[in-house]
Amino acid sequence: MTCIILNLPDKAVEACNNVLAIDPKNVKALFRRGKIRSDRGDLDGAKEDLTQAYSLEPLDPKIKDELARLTLKFKAYEDREKKKFRNMFQKMSIDEEMQENKG
């Protein structure tokens, strides 16, 4: 926890990894590592940790809240990707039209 407070996410993840090497079902370590992964944009890793923590402690409101935030992050990521590809295909379409009009 101290590493998180001091904004040392690498050290915090390392500490969580050490705990999980000894106790793979440690809910607190899974939750904290999942939260750090989420904050760093590792959405898949966060989902893995938080889902496992939730399966072990389904009534923990902090885990539920973090999973809800993660769901929103996944949705935002998917929306950005859709927009990026939509723009890319629109540009390709415009380029093709310009080539056809030249030829």
Side-chain angles (χ1 to χ4, degrees):
M1 181 69 168
T2 304
C3 296
I4 295 171
I5 293 170
L6 294 175
N7 196 24
L8 300 169
D10 292 332
K11 293 258 186 216
V13 168
E14 184 180 330
C16 291
N17 289 341
N18 291 338
V19 170
L20 292 167
I22 296 167
D23 179 9
K25 294 184 178 183
N26 187 296
V27 175
K28 190 182 286 189
L30 287 165
F31 173 77
R32 288 184 178 157
R33 187 174 71 177
K35 184 162 177 24
I36 293 166
R37 285 177 163 180
S38 177
D39 292 345
R40 296 173 117 192
D42 177 6
L43 303 184
D44 292 325
K47 181 179 179 182
E48 183 180 317
D49 287 342
L50 293 170
T51 301
Q52 188 174 356
Y54 179 75
S55 71
L56 296 167
E57 291 285 338
L59 300 178
D60 188 319
K62 289 181 183 180
I63 297 171
K64 285 182 181 181
D65 290 346
E66 196 60 37
L67 277 168
R69 277 192 283 279
L70 183 62
T71 300
L72 293 175
K73 286 183 179 185
F74 267 110
K75 174 80 172 106
Y77 173 78
E78 289 169 3
D79 290 346
R80 281 192 310 271
E81 289 297 301
K82 284 179 187 176
K83 184 178 179 182
K84 180 171 60 175
F85 283 107
R86 185 173 42 246
N87 290 340
M88 182 177 71
F89 288 120
Q90 284 175 347
K91 184 179 181 331
M92 287 172 51
S93 177
I94 291 170
D95 289 345
E96 286 174 3
E97 282 181 31
M98 290 176 65
Q99 288 296 325
E100 288 175 7
N101 291 337
K102 283 183 178 180

